[in-house]
Amino acid sequence: MTDISGCGAPEQSAPLPASVNVEKETVISGVVRAGDQPVSGAYVRLLDASGEFTAEVVTSAAGQFRFFAAPGSWTLRALSRAGNGDATVDAGRGITEVALSVAA
């Protein structure tokens, strides 16, 4: 199990707080999987349209991750013991769900 006690990101499997207005916020969330299995403890990086690092979170026990971002084009990069993987997403206001697969 990965120690994330020093990470400032909220628990990734926690529900969205009631104070989050998804009509005004851009939320990118999803699950990291290796095959059909969720990958816990994976590092998921959020990269902007130019490939610059913006943020990083660690997936929950169920492989879940979540970012609050600006609308636009983003790349998600997962790094884990099970392998690595990328996904590109165009996110607007609301919740954008992303399936992020990793492979060795």
Side-chain angles (χ1 to χ4, degrees), residues 64-81:
Q64 299 162 303
F65 64 89
R66 179 184 309 140
F67 292 101
F68 290 86
S73 295
W74 297 94
T75 297
L76 298 163
R77 178 164 295 146
L79 308 168
S80 73
R81 290 184 184 143

Side-chain angles (χ1 to χ4, degrees), residues 5-104:
S5 58
C7 180
E11 171 56 42
Q12 297 300 295
S13 61
L16 279 174
S19 62
V20 174
N21 182 346
V22 295
E23 292 180 11
K24 295 182 180 178
E25 300 279 351
T26 300
V27 181
I28 301 169
S29 67
V31 176
V32 175
R33 295 186 185 280
D36 62 351
Q37 297 298 311
V39 179
S40 66
Y43 291 88
V44 181
R45 294 180 177 166
L46 183 67
L47 308 174
D48 69 15
S50 68
E52 289 295 315
F53 173 87
T54 302
E56 181 176 79
V57 296
V58 178
T59 60
S60 70
Q64 299 162 303
F65 64 89
R66 179 184 309 140
F67 292 101
F68 290 86
S73 295
W74 297 94
T75 297
L76 298 163
R77 178 164 295 146
L79 308 168
S80 73
R81 290 184 184 143
N84 303 327
D86 287 356
T88 305
V89 62
D90 288 318
R93 300 276 185 234
I95 300 172
T96 301
E97 293 287 336
V98 180
L100 186 47
S101 298
V102 296

